[in-house]
Amino acid sequence: MAHQSVTRTAAAEHYADLHRSLAGLLAGEPDFIANCANFSALVYTTLPDLNWAGCYLLRGNELVLGPFQGRPACVRIAMGRGVCGTAAARRASVLVDDVHAFPDHIACDPVSRSELVVPMIKGDALIGVFDMDSPSPERFDATDQAGMEGAVALLMNACRI
Ligand code: SME
């Protein structure tokens, strides 16, 4: 559909801008927590229609809340549970069009309707996941997934972990 391809092109340009901003923000700074904090803030303040964006970091065999933007969220998520734990266990992004249709979704905020989770991997090591929530159903698509996977790769490359 013509309209959809225009929207997709705009979204791809948005992610190209995000990647450029990130490269500047991360340049010369290897601190992981500081970079995760700025990464979350940049994503949350530049991508439209989000109600939460942030990190869950692998601690032992569970995910623990890390730097984020948005309302306070659940602190611990077991590996394999929820959208975040599923992405961590699979080491692959999980895109959920409608969280009500994802049986194991963990509702930190009832306002959330769709979700995109990207694993944070450095070398062979799973470091955590980056989670984005939207109040709109079907907010995220393949362009968002590719854009955020590229953004997380920039974050992982910049950090000493
Ligand atoms: N919905 C997530 C939990 C984290 S919050 O959305 C911030 C999940 O199902 O894993």
Side-chain angles (χ1 to χ4, degrees):
M1 220 194 309
H3 172 70
Q4 194 174 31
S5 70
V6 168
T7 308
R8 272 188 173 237
T9 304
E13 282 168 7
H14 204 131
Y15 281 105
D17 284 345
L18 179 74
H19 293 173
R20 275 190 289 274
S21 302
L22 257 182
L25 200 58
L26 301 173
E29 179 51 71
D31 189 274
F32 178 57
I33 294 297
N35 285 343
C36 283
N38 265 341
F39 184 94
S40 303
L42 185 69
V43 168
Y44 189 73
T45 55
T46 58
L47 295 184
D49 203 21
L50 303 182
N51 63 304
W52 202 89
C55 306
Y56 278 92
L57 305 177
L58 186 63
R59 299 281 183 258
N61 200 35
E62 64 182 351
L63 296 167
V64 178
L65 185 63
F68 72 95
Q69 299 274 308
R71 290 189 177 171
C74 24
V75 173
R76 292 174 192 274
I77 299 175
M79 186 61 80
R81 301 306 308 272
V83 186
C84 290
T86 299
R90 290 183 191 165
R91 291 178 170 230
S93 298
V94 178
L95 198 166
V96 179
D97 284 341
D98 176 1
V99 297
H100 297 155
F102 190 93
D104 200 30
H105 171 254
I106 299 165
C108 293
D109 183 345
V111 163
S112 298
R113 292 298 312 279
S114 59
E115 183 159 359
L116 172 61
V117 181
V118 175
M120 300 163 75
I121 295 170
K122 176 104 177 169
D124 287 338
L126 178 72
I127 307 301
V129 299
F130 190 77
D131 180 20
M132 299 160 70
D133 292 324
S134 172
S136 301
E138 299 179 46
R139 158 66 181 82
F140 307 104
D141 63 12
T143 304
D144 296 290
Q145 183 177 327
M148 286 310 300
E149 287 173 352
V152 168
L154 288 172
L155 174 66
M156 292 293 97
N157 282 336
C159 295
R160 195 190 317 118
I161 303 169

